[in-house]
């Protein structure tokens, strides 16, 4: 692993490294956009099954869940790791 990391570092020195802001933007596009899209879809499905179909679901949510997805994995607790990344 040490040798492969060393060789990778040597190959990356010749390539143009992105700035920190470019790195953050790329990570946000790759992780946060899918997180918010999937959370939005899950919240819509949960709300429709709770209120329209009168089904009982394991982790019930309210309409304020759309705002809570910015501070935590409100839609589905199994998406916690995306915020940790």
């Amino acid at each position: 692993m040490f040798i492969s990391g060393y060789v990778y570092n040597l190959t990356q020195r010749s390539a143009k490294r992105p700035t920190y802001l470019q790195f953050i933007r790329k990570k946000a596009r790759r992780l946060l956009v899918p997180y918010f899209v999937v959370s939005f879809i899950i919240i819509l499905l949960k709300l429709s099954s709770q209120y329209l179909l009168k089904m009982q679901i394991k982790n019930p949510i309210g309409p304020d869940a759309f705002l809570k997805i910015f501070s935590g994995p409100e839609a589905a607790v199994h998406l916690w790791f995306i915020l940790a990344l």
Side-chain angles (χ1 to χ4, degrees):
M1 282 182 21
F2 174 76
I3 293 171
S4 68
Y6 180 74
V7 171
Y8 177 76
N9 190 25
L10 287 178
T11 60
Q12 292 301 310
R13 285 186 186 178
S14 63
K16 183 180 175 186
R17 287 191 175 179
T19 64
Y20 185 70
L21 187 58
Q22 291 171 335
F23 175 76
I24 294 297
R25 284 182 183 159
K26 182 180 174 184
K27 290 291 181 184
R29 267 196 318 256
R30 203 175 88 206
L31 295 172
L32 292 180
V33 171
Y35 167 75
F36 287 122
V37 169
V38 169
S39 293
F40 188 79
I41 291 170
I42 291 173
I43 289 172
L44 284 177
L45 290 173
K46 281 187 170 184
L47 287 175
S48 64
S49 63
Q50 275 178 221
Y51 296 113
L52 296 176
L53 302 175
K54 305 291 184 198
M55 295 174 63
Q56 289 186 346
I57 59 174
K58 187 174 183 179
N59 295 318
I61 57 170
D64 61 339
F66 291 109
L67 296 175
K68 291 182 180 179
I69 63 172
F70 293 101
S71 62
E74 181 70 19
V77 289
H78 61 274
L79 299 175
W80 65 269
F81 69 94
I82 294 177
L83 296 176
L85 291 175

